[in-house]
């Protein structure tokens, strides 16, 4: 039984010209302890898919699915709010913009404490100890001091470490990392990705990594889903995908890797020629 099992998830939004479907019957499964990468160009529906699972899309969104199950329990029929209540402790998500995701009005320590209060029955002293332990885990220098800092007093990399600490606070079974490093500079990106990989390995949690970056996929993922224009184009284990990409879009993504670049212009994608119909 997969940890997360999502079948035929569709999402649409109202527009001036009627409903616009941004995700077409996409299915996702993740096993316990597995690292799944979801790749695809901007606007291909990667974030929308995971936000739909989490019940975090705005009320204007229409979400349908045959099944959204966590640990075998189907939660697709529940309201977004009830779904969050049920999976909130077991699935956490970190977002692209670390600074925007933290509340600017509260210290890092306060924001970590809120999560611990909500999801654990630790007393104040134990929560403080746990917060310090979490900051140590995410490699934060001067943890005692950083707990008292407000988001604007920290760098982007430090804010993202706080976000990761918050996400790890209740020891989730699944962490969804939605392009967790795009807002950071390159050396920090590497540190944050290494950190996520280490936490995944140490805790054995499952990880869904949303990224544009095939280099990150090669380093971290067990299995890869490639999306294009709101459709799942391809799904394979990471070695198969790199050795034998089935779709033109995947080949184009791979050829954009620095080691494969020819110095020529990027290839264009003949989407229609390669698209073989609705993917399972
Ligand atoms: N709240 C919303 N209202 C209307 N349309 C939306 C909303 N959120 C997303 N969309 C649309 O859904 C489509 C998919 O967006 P999504 O954010 O999932 O893309 P993405 O694959 O995560 O892209 P990126 O790599 O840029 O993060 C886009 O066309 C986007 O404009
Ligand atoms: Mg996105």
């Amino acid at each position: 039984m997969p940890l997360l099992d999502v079948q035929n998830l569709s999402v649409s939004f109202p527009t001036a010209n009627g409903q616009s479907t941004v995700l077409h019957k996409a299915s996702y499964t993740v096993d316990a302890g597995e690292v799944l990468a979801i790749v695809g160009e901007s606007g291909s529906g990667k974030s929308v898919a995971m936000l739909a699972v989490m019940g975090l899309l705005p009320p204007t969104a229409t979400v349908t699915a045959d099944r959204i199950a966590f640990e075998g329990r189907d939660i697709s029929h529940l309201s977004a709010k009830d779904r969050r209540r049920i999976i909130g402790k077991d699935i956490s998500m970190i977002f692209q913009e670390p600074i925007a995701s933290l509340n600017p009005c509260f210290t890092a320590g306060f924001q970590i404490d809120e999560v611990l209060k909500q999801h654990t029955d630790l007393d104040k002293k134990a929560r403080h100890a746990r917060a310090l332990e979490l900051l140590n885990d995410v490699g934060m220098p001067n943890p005692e001091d950083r707990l008292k800092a407000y988001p604007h007093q920290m760098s982007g990399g430090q804010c993202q470490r706080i976000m990761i600490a918050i996400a790890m606070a209740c020891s989730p079974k699944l962490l969804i990392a939605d392009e967790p490093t795009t807002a950071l500079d390159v050396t920090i990106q590497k540190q944050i990705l290494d950190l996520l990989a280490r936490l995944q390995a140490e805790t054995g949690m499952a990880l869904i990594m949303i990224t544009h970056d095939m280099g990150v996929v090669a380093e971290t993922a067990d299995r890869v889903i490639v999306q294009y224009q709101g459709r799942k184009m391809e799904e394979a284990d990471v070695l198969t995908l790199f050795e034998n990409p089935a779709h033109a879009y995947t080949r184009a993504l791979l050829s954009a890797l620095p080691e494969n670049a020819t110095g020529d212009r990027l290839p264009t994608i003949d989407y229609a020629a390669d698209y073989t119909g609705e993917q399972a």
Side-chain angles (χ1 to χ4, degrees):
M1 177 182 69
L3 184 67
L4 178 70
D5 182 11
V6 179
Q7 295 301 323
N8 294 323
L9 177 66
S10 297
V11 178
S12 63
F13 290 103
T15 69
N17 308 316
Q19 285 291 112
S20 155
T21 303
V22 298
L23 191 70
H24 301 261
K25 296 197 168 184
S27 298
Y28 308 85
T29 61
V30 190
D31 289 331
E34 188 183 31
V35 181
L36 170 70
I38 303 178
V39 298
E41 64 176 5
S42 188
S44 57
K46 306 181 298 294
S47 296
V48 156
M50 291 305 117
L51 291 170
V53 170
M54 296 291 284
L56 290 173
L57 285 174
T60 51
T62 304
V63 178
T64 61
D66 291 346
R67 186 174 164 80
I68 300 176
F70 189 74
E71 294 186 310
R73 177 173 183 188
D74 192 350
I75 51 174
S76 60
H77 56 285
L78 296 178
S79 70
K81 193 164 161 238
D82 287 341
R83 191 180 310 161
R84 279 202 301 277
R85 191 171 49 76
I86 287 173
I87 62 178
K89 184 177 179 300
D90 290 327
I91 310 183
S92 351
M93 188 158 174
I94 50 178
F95 302 93
Q96 198 158 344
E97 293 285 344
I99 296 180
S101 312
L102 286 169
N103 188 325
C105 306
F106 298 106
T107 62
F110 182 89
Q111 298 187 55
I112 296 173
D113 197 54
E114 279 300 291
V115 181
L116 292 172
K117 257 193 219 160
Q118 216 174 59
H119 293 292
T120 71
D121 36 3
L122 299 175
D123 65 16
K124 193 160 185 280
K125 200 167 154 225
R127 290 199 309 270
H128 181 74
R130 174 73 178 137
L132 282 177
E133 180 186 52
L134 283 162
L135 289 201
N136 269 318
D137 287 349
V138 299
M140 186 73 102
N142 308 320
E144 194 71 72
D145 173 63
R146 294 289 82 184
L147 282 180
K148 293 184 214 117
Y150 287 86
H152 75 270
Q153 295 169 319
M154 292 184 282
S155 68
Q158 288 186 346
C159 285
Q160 194 57 297
R161 283 177 204 271
I162 297 291
M163 286 308 301
I164 295 171
I166 289 173
M168 298 301 296
C170 340
S171 311
K173 293 175 181 157
L174 171 64
L175 176 65
I176 302 174
D178 188 354
E179 310 205 47
T181 61
T182 24
L184 307 172
D185 61 55
V186 177
T187 48
I188 310 294
Q189 285 186 5
K190 173 90 177 97
Q191 291 174 17
I192 295 291
L193 291 169
D194 288 347
L195 168 63
L196 285 173
R198 176 171 64 75
L199 291 171
Q200 191 277 327
E202 280 173 10
T203 62
M205 69 182 173
L207 176 64
I208 297 180
M209 179 81 101
I210 302 178
T211 179
H212 289 92
D213 185 337
M214 281 297 200
V216 170
V217 172
E219 269 183 47
T220 53
D222 300 313
R223 198 155 49 82
V224 189
I225 285 175
V226 180
Q227 286 190 194
Y228 185 69
Q229 296 189 345
R231 288 188 160 83
K232 201 164 96 177
M233 302 300 289
E234 178 160 7
E235 174 166 4
D237 71 80
V238 71
L239 286 176
T240 309
L241 187 98
F242 275 72
E243 276 171 16
N244 193 11
H247 281 275
Y249 177 61
T250 312
R251 290 195 286 275
L253 272 180
L254 288 172
S255 66
L257 276 175
E259 60 266 33
N260 296 338
T262 53
D264 298 337
R265 293 174 62 99
L266 280 175
T268 53
I269 302 158
D270 189 356
Y271 168 72
D274 212 53
Y275 181 55
T276 52
E278 206 85 342
Q279 298 286 302

